[in-house]
């Protein structure tokens, strides 16, 4: 992602120079604009992948947390039942 962002910055600087030197209609300017569009598209794609990965990891962590919580409640209930059984046995 950083490499793509760095390339985008460089292409924008090149575009600015090319526009000043050659004008808006120059093939060099058009080529740089296409490269910039492609880089922006790649960056957006990477951002989406990152967000999806974060969401997936979050959901997995929530599922693990729910599982642990259920296990703790189950164990707590078992311990309470054992304590009640022990007190009745005595």
């Amino acid at each position: 992602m950083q490499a793509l962002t760095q390339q985008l910055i460089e292409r924008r600087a090149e575009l600015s120079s090319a526009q000043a030197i050659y004008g808006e209609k120059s093939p060099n300017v058009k080529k740089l604009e296409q490269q910039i569009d492609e880089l922006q598209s790649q960056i957006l794609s990477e951002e989406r992948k990152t967000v999806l990965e974060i969401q997936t990891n979050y959901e997995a962590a929530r599922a693990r947390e729910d599982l642990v919580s259920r296990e703790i409640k189950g164990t707590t209930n078992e311990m309470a039942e054992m304590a009640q059984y022990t007190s009745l046995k005595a």
Side-chain angles (χ1 to χ4, degrees):
M1 182 79 101
Q2 287 180 327
L4 290 173
T5 303
Q6 183 62 36
Q7 289 177 14
L8 180 61
I9 291 168
E10 291 169 3
R11 293 303 171 274
R12 284 183 175 161
E14 290 173 23
L15 176 62
S16 181
S17 294
Q19 287 171 329
I21 295 169
Y22 304 112
E24 295 289 326
K25 305 282 186 199
S26 166
N28 288 343
V29 169
K30 297 297 181 190
K31 181 180 177 184
L32 286 168
E33 288 173 340
Q34 289 174 345
Q35 289 175 354
I36 287 170
D37 289 344
E38 178 61 30
L39 286 168
Q40 288 173 328
S41 177
Q42 289 175 5
I43 289 170
L44 183 59
S45 176
E46 288 296 319
E47 287 173 347
R48 287 181 180 147
K49 283 184 204 175
T50 301
V51 168
L52 182 60
E53 184 178 334
I54 290 169
Q55 287 174 332
T56 301
N57 290 341
Y58 173 77
E59 290 169 6
R62 285 290 299 228
R64 285 190 302 271
E65 180 184 21
D66 290 344
L67 178 62
V68 168
S69 179
R70 286 193 303 270
E71 288 293 323
I72 289 171
K73 285 179 184 176
T75 302
T76 302
N77 289 340
E78 286 178 18
M79 290 178 66
E81 288 175 9
M82 290 171 90
Q84 186 179 16
Y85 173 76
T86 303
S87 67
L88 291 174
K89 185 178 171 185

